[in-house]
Amino acid sequence: MPLSGWLRWSGSNQEENMGDLTPEQMRRLHDFAEQLAELAEHQEDQWKVQTTEGQIFLTMMSPTAPHGLNVVRLRRQIEAQTPEAIALNDTTMGDPETGLTKVPDLMVIAEEDADDTAKVINSRDVLMVVEVVSRTNSLTDIRDKLHDYPRMGVPLYVVVDPRKDKKTVTVHSDPSLGPDGIRYRKQVPYAFGDTVTVGRWTLDTGSLKSYPAEW
C-alpha cells in the first residue's frame, strides 16, 4: 500500500494532547507509529514518521544541499570533540514515558548507551538534538519539537535556521517543570558565523550555509 494513504490518520481528537491519552491509547499510537515506520522502509521515497499531540505526522524527506551540508558539518565537529559519542542523523528516537516519537536531523548519544538491538533510540539517553529548519515546514522545529523535546528528556536542543531572513542558531537548555509544564527555561540566540557554546561542545558556525535568496 502506498504510504501516502496513511497521511490523514490521527491517534486522537485534535483537541487532545499526549498527556490526555490513556496508557492503552499511548501504546496503540506508539505501535501504529512503529508499523508505519516499518512500512516506510519499503517505500521508494523516504519518509519520517513522528508523533506529537496525540497525532502521527508523516513527512516526505527531500533535503536540500544546504540542509544536508549543515547537518554533516555540525556532525563532524561534534564527533571530533567527543570521540566517545556518536551523532546519528535521520534515526528514530522514542520516549517510553510520553510515547512521543521523533526523527531528528542529528542526535548525539554516548556510544556505550546506543543499543544496536533496539528499534529506536531511547530519548532519555540522548545528550543533544540538532534540527536544521526546513524551508517549507519550519513550525515543526521551532514550535512542535521545542514543545516536545524537553518532555522527552532531551537536555539540549539546537535549532539551526538557514532561512534567508533568519540565519540564526538558537540553543535551548535547562528543561524543567513549571506552571506551563516541562519547558526549556534557557534560550541563547546566535547568528551564523558566531562560535556557539552548547553543553560540552563549541561549534563554529562560519561554515553553515543559508538557503538561497530566491527561496
Side-chain angles (χ1 to χ4, degrees), residues 9-204:
W9 193 89
S10 174
S12 66
N13 185 284
Q14 290 190 1
E15 297 300 318
E16 296 178 324
N17 57 44
M18 295 293 283
D20 297 325
L21 300 182
T22 66
E24 174 61 18
Q25 288 174 316
M26 286 179 58
R27 184 193 64 77
R28 289 173 57 197
L29 182 70
H30 179 73
D31 289 348
F32 192 55
E34 280 196 351
Q35 292 174 29
L36 286 177
E38 291 176 1
L39 180 61
E41 293 179 359
H42 302 287
Q43 301 298 304
E44 183 177 349
D45 298 315
Q46 291 184 300
W47 296 79
K48 284 186 178 183
V49 180
Q50 305 181 97
T51 60
T52 186
E53 298 301 336
Q55 300 175 69
I56 294 176
F57 287 90
L58 306 182
T59 306
M60 184 182 291
M61 296 169 59
S62 54
T64 61
H67 184 283
L69 287 170
N70 287 336
V71 171
V72 168
R73 287 168 179 170
L74 290 169
R75 178 180 183 173
R76 288 173 177 169
Q77 292 187 56
I78 291 166
E79 292 187 330
Q81 293 176 41
T82 48
E84 73 281 5
I86 51 176
L88 303 172
N89 61 290
D90 295 327
T91 302
T92 303
M93 174 180 77
D95 179 23
E97 295 187 21
T98 63
L100 290 164
T101 301
K102 304 292 182 186
V103 184
D105 288 327
L106 200 61
M107 64 174 157
V108 184
I109 184 172
E111 188 162 7
E112 64 181 8
D113 292 331
D115 182 357
D116 58 8
T117 65
K119 288 185 177 180
V120 301
I121 298 294
N122 188 327
S123 65
R124 303 283 163 172
D125 294 330
V126 172
L127 304 174
M128 175 172 65
V129 163
V130 180
E131 296 282 9
V132 177
V133 174
S134 165
R135 64 187 180 92
T136 58
N137 192 24
S138 59
L139 287 181
T140 299
D141 296 325
I142 63 178
R143 183 192 64 191
D144 298 341
K145 292 182 178 180
L146 182 60
H147 177 263
D148 290 342
Y149 280 149
R151 297 164 60 207
M152 297 174 72
V154 177
L156 296 168
Y157 177 35
V158 181
V159 180
V160 178
D161 194 340
R163 291 176 294 172
K164 60 185 178 182
D165 58 337
K166 301 295 183 181
K167 291 185 279 189
T168 58
V169 178
T170 306
V171 176
H172 300 276
S173 61
D174 189 20
S176 53
L177 182 63
D180 54 349
I182 301 176
R183 299 287 188 272
Y184 290 117
R185 303 300 168 184
K186 187 175 181 181
Q187 173 181 307
V188 181
Y190 297 87
F192 276 27
D194 291 346
T195 297
V196 173
T197 300
V198 48
R200 70 186 77 176
W201 296 276
T202 300
L203 304 177
D204 177 7

